[in-house]
Amino acid sequence: MDRESLIRTGKSGAVHNYLAVSHDLPPIVLIQNSDEDVVTHVINENSGSKVRNRLEELLYIENAIDYVFVCRADATEFVSRARELNDVMALAPEDRIDVLVVAYLENGGEVESYYAELTPAEKNTGRSIGEWKEQNIEIMGNVLIRKW
C-alpha cells in the first residue's frame, strides 16, 4: 500500500472509531511489512513510555517498513511552554485542544502527520471532527519511533 493510502486509511479509521465506536481512541498502529501486508494493532497502554515500548516491539515483530500511528491527544500552540513543563497536560485546560492525530513514519526516512480538532464537550451537540491539517509531530517524539 502506498503512503497516501496508508494515511487515508488511518484518517478514515480514526474518524470511524471516534464517531461510531468510542468517544475515546486508544493508540492504534497500522504496520506495513516488507511483503506489503498491513496489520493493525491496538496499543492498550496509557503512558507515553509504555506506548513507545509496545510500538517498538510491534515494529520488530511485524518486520515493518513503515507505519501509521493513530491516537487521540492533547495539543497546544504553546509548544515552548509544554517543553519546559515536559507535558502538554501540565498546561491549563484553556491552553490545550483535543485532537485526533495520524502520523506516517518510514523507517529512517519520511515523516508526515496530520491532526483534526475535536469539538469541546460543552459545545458538542453530537461528536464532530474538524478538517485534517498537516502538522509537526516534534512534541510526540517521546512516543513515535523514527528509526528501528
Side-chain angles (χ1 to χ4, degrees):
M1 186 178 291
D2 65 19
R3 176 178 48 92
E4 290 83 14
S5 297
L6 257 170
I7 292 168
R8 191 170 44 255
T9 301
K11 286 178 180 178
S12 64
V15 169
H16 171 76
N17 284 319
Y18 180 75
L19 293 177
V21 178
S22 172
H23 202 59
D24 196 19
L25 183 68
I28 298 170
V29 62
L30 289 77
I31 300 173
Q32 182 167 224
N33 64 26
S34 56
D35 294 328
E36 295 188 5
D37 295 324
V38 177
V39 294
T40 303
H41 293 275
V42 175
I43 300 178
N44 291 314
E45 301 291 349
N46 55 8
S47 78
S49 62
K50 288 181 180 179
V51 170
R52 182 181 174 87
N53 290 342
R54 183 63 181 142
L55 175 59
E56 187 170 35
E57 286 174 15
L58 292 170
L59 294 174
Y60 283 109
I61 289 168
E62 299 295 351
N63 193 26
I65 57 169
D66 56 4
Y67 72 97
V68 167
F69 185 83
V70 178
C71 70
R72 183 176 177 188
D74 285 284
T76 186
E77 61 185 53
F78 305 105
V79 176
S80 296
R81 182 68 178 138
R83 274 197 207 109
E84 288 172 17
L85 298 170
N86 202 29
D87 188 1
V88 171
M89 294 304 292
L91 294 171
E94 62 272 10
D95 293 338
R96 301 187 311 252
I97 56 171
D98 197 14
V99 296
L100 293 180
V101 175
V102 173
Y104 167 87
L105 294 95
E106 182 179 42
N107 190 4
E110 194 170 346
V111 177
E112 188 174 328
S113 61
Y114 300 86
Y115 74 96
E117 191 170 339
L118 302 173
T119 302
E122 63 273 10
K123 296 179 189 173
N124 201 352
T125 56
R127 297 181 207 180
S128 66
I129 299 172
E131 294 295 316
W132 289 101
K133 300 176 185 172
E134 199 159 357
Q135 72 156 359
N136 177 343
I137 57 170
E138 175 184 342
I139 199 80
M140 291 186 70
N142 63 332
V143 174
L144 299 177
I145 298 170
R146 290 168 172 81
K147 187 167 177 63
W148 58 92

